[in-house]
Every structure is written in structure tokens, then in C-alpha cells.
């Protein structure tokens, strides 16, 4: 199996879990944000970009399916650098699909995002909800979803997009912890855990139209997320493209995340209120009914476990 982006936080966790489950794994990663030492040594690592078809050809040799995690993934950065997001995410995915066709690989599970929906017009997002991204990151993921639908019809590939909500948590494998190692770190939970009196965590916006004024997100443990990928591989069908949301089905505000982290660590998290961050929607919560029925999957880990695993991984 080819895992693109297998040196990143989610990809490297997938690689370790897949290897433990007996899969042979080849990783393609340009190491722009990933880390070579996060890639389990039992996997074959090809350092290369999705913008380089030869690198994709080298990485896909001997594989019969693809888990496509690689891509730029920060909402804020995408507002600053929209062209980069279109190039890496859309052009890169197009190259990957072209090479898959060339070499006769037709199974793909793609890391799509809740950011494809934009500002929700209903409390809980289903796969039928309108897609109107509020940032270039979401636009780029939506374009790839559309491309997969086209290629399923045109080329008969078996495609499945998993629309992630907020992935959190860490995985302790046989070779130690795999966790988020972004630089700079923009995600809420690692930043909350790092906060100190001299560097309090910034709360982006306290005037959102939510109960406590902070943004609401749906957090899913990375282990539950990868479990859903393994189940997704089993239901792939030639000529079809399914879209499935992956979250826990419950929303937590930024303040609730901070309070849960305070409980986990046994100390108060220092915070600093600030302006809203560009590109953020107020609320993103998944309906996970389709994931439950189609994949026979359900989340097993709650917010406190996610935070506690991240906390353990950094100590
Ligand atoms: N936040 C803070 N302070 C921080 C970091 C984040 O207040 O230091 C807030 C954000 O404004 C947002 C919430 O916490 O309201 C979550 O922010 P993250 O940066 O952790 O995550 P995002 O919701 O921006 O994005 C994540 C992934 C995207 C994915 C999205 C889907 O990075 O790839 O979830 O919900 F599309």
C-alpha cells in the first residue's frame, strides 16, 4: 500500500498501525512538514513530492492501493498562500491519480476535510450539507473530492473521501509515541498543553455566536481515525466515489478544551484573548451516521483521552 504524507502526524500514525496489522507500506513524503524519523523503519520511504510524477512512480511500484494523506493542511496559512494550496493539494492529487491510472492502481482513500463545508448552515454537518469553503485550504480539498468523483466515472477508480473534523490525540506504538510535531504549531490542543504564564495560549475570538463566545469543533482521536481508514479500504467499489465524515459527532468550544486540559494536567492553563483568526468558521460538528452505517465504525476515545495522550507523548 502507498501512504502519501506518511511522515506527517496522521500519515505516520497510519503507517505504524498498518504495519502492525500486516500491510506492506511504501511512503511518499517530501518532508516539507513531515519528519523522516516519524516513519516506521519497516516501511519503505521515498522522499519526493506529488509534484514530481517520477517520484510517485517510484513510490507506487508494487502497491495496489493508496492512502492519500499528503498535502498542505493549515487554514490560516492557506489564506496567506492560496496558490501554494492549489498547487500542492490539487495539482499534486491530479498527478497522483494520473500515475495511478498509468500503472493500473485504482483504489484510493483520500484525506478530505470538514473545511470543505465552510460556515455551516445547520447544527450538524452531513455529507449532503452544502459545500461552500471559507478558506483556500477547504477549496483545495473540495476540488480534489470533485476530481475523485469525475475519475470514478471516467476511469472506474474506487475512491473514498474521508472528511476529517479536528484530529487530535497521539499513538504509542512499538517504537514510541507518534504525535503532532508542527513548527510552528497552530493546532489548539498542543498549544494549550504548552501554555505557560510567560506564553499563554491565545484564544482566537471570544465574540463568536456560541454559548461561551469561542469556536466549537468536533475532535476525533487519531487512532479512531486510522481505524476508519482500514475499514474504508474494505468497502471500496470500482466506479464509485463515497464521501464520509469522520468526527466524534460532538462539539466542544475552545474554552471547554482548555478546561478539559486543565483537568488532565491538574493545573490551570494560562490564556490570552485575541481577535478572531482569518478563515475560521464558528462551529464545525459532524454527523457520523454514515461512517457508522457504511464503515461499521464508531469512535472509542473521548476528548479527555485525546488530550491526555498528547500530554503523555510530550513528557
Ligand atoms: N485556536 C485557538 N488558539 C490556538 C489554536 C487554535 O483559539 O492557539 C482555535 C481556532 O481558532 C479554532 C479552534 O481552536 O477555533 C481549532 O483550531 P485548530 O487550529 O486546532 O484547528 P482548525 O479547526 O483550524 O483546523 C483543523 C485542521 C484542518 C481541518 C479542520 C476541520 O487543521 O485541517 O480542523 O475542522 F480542516
Amino acid at each position: 500500500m502507498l501512504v502519501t504524507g506518511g511522515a506527517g502526524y496522521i500519515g505516520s500514525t497510519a503507517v505504524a498501525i498498518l504495519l502492525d496489522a500486516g500491510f506492506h507500506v511504501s511512503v511518499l513524503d517530501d518532508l516539507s512538514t513531515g519528519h523522516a524519523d516519524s516513519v516506521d523503519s519497516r516501511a519503505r520511504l521515498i522522499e519526493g513530492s506529488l509534484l514530481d510524477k517520477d517520484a510517485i512512480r517510484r513510490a507506487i511500484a508494487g502497491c495496489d492501493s493508496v492512502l492519500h494523506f499528503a498535502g498542505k493542511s493549515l487554514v490560516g496559512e492557506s489564506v496567506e498562500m492560496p496558490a501554494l494550496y492549489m498547487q500542492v493539494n490539487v495539482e499534486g492529487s491530479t498527478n497522483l491519480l494520473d500515475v495511478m491510472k498509468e500503472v493500473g492502481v485504482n483504489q484510493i482513500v483520500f484525506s478530505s476535510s470538514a473545511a470543505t463545508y465552510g460556515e455551516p448552515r445547520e447544527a450538524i454537518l452531513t455529507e449532503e450539507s452544502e459545500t461552500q469553503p471559507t478558506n483556500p485550504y477547504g477549496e483545495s480539498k473540495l476540488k480534489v473530492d470533485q476530481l475523485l468523483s469525475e475519475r470514478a466515472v471516467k476511469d472506474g477508480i474506487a475512491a473514498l473521501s474521508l472528511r476529517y473534523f479536528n484530529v487530535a490525540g497521539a499513538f504509542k506504538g512499538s517504537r514510541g509515541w507518534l504525535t503532532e510535531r508542527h513548527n510552528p504549531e497552530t493546532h489548539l490542543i498542543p498549544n494549550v498543553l504548552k501554555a505557560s504564564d510567560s506564553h499563554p495560549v491565545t484564544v482566537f475570538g471570544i465574540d463568536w455566536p456560541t454559548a461561551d463566545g469561542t469556536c466549537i469543533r468536533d475532535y476525533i482521536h487519531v487512532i479512531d481515525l486510522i481505524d476508519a481508514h482500514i475499514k474504508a479500504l474494505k468497502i471500496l467499489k470500482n466506479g464509485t466515489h463515497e464521501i464520509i465524515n469522520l468526527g466524534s459527532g460532538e462539539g466542544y468550544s475552545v474554552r471547554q478544551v482548555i478546561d478539559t486540559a486543565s483537568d488532565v494536567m491538574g493545573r490551570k492553563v494560562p490564556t490570552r484573548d485575541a481577535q478572531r483568526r482569518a478563515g475560521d468558521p464558528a462551529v464545525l460538528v459532524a454527523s457520523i451516521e454514515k461512517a457508522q452505517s457504511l464503515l461499521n465504525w464508531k469512535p472509542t476515545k473521548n476528548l479527555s483521552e485525546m488530550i491526555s495522550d498528547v500530554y503523555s507523548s510530550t513528557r
Side-chain angles (χ1 to χ4, degrees), residues 106-252:
N106 70 336
Q107 301 203 318
I108 180 165
V109 176
F110 171 58
S111 305
S112 184
S113 169
T116 53
Y117 295 113
E119 189 66 62
R121 280 152 287 273
E122 55 249 298
I124 304 250
L125 289 160
T126 73
E127 294 78 359
E128 307 301 318
S129 297
E130 207 184 323
T131 45
Q132 238 180 61
T134 52
N135 52 64
Y137 167 63
E139 273 169 43
S140 71
K141 289 286 179 181
L142 182 59
K143 281 203 160 67
V144 179
D145 285 346
Q146 289 160 345
L147 183 66
L148 289 168
S149 295
E150 281 165 31
R151 297 282 177 114
V153 173
K154 193 163 121 268
D155 300 335
I157 61 166
L160 205 150
S161 292
L162 295 172
R163 287 197 172 148
Y164 305 171
F165 283 65
N166 288 57
V167 186
F171 170 70
K172 191 175 189 183
S174 49
R175 288 144 210 250
W177 282 102
L178 289 167
T179 192
E180 289 193 69
R181 293 162 67 194
H182 300 120
N183 188 15
E185 185 53 74
T186 62
H187 287 143
L188 179 64
I189 292 175
N191 281 342
V192 165
L193 295 176
K194 273 197 306 218
S196 62
D197 288 334
S198 54
H199 293 95
V201 63
T202 308
V203 177
F204 291 125
I206 52 165
D207 57 351
W208 293 95
T210 59
D212 67 16
T214 65
C215 285
I216 292 176
R217 293 289 182 273
D218 177 336
Y219 296 86
I220 173 172
H221 198 295
V222 65
I223 293 175
D224 285 328
L225 185 94
I226 302 308
D227 178 40
H229 284 69
I230 293 174
K231 295 192 155 100
L233 284 166
K234 296 185 185 140
I235 66 152
L236 287 171
K237 226 189 293 153
N238 286 349
T240 65
H241 173 223
E242 284 291 350
I243 294 178
I244 300 179
N245 288 343
L246 284 184
S248 64
E250 280 172 48
Y252 293 91

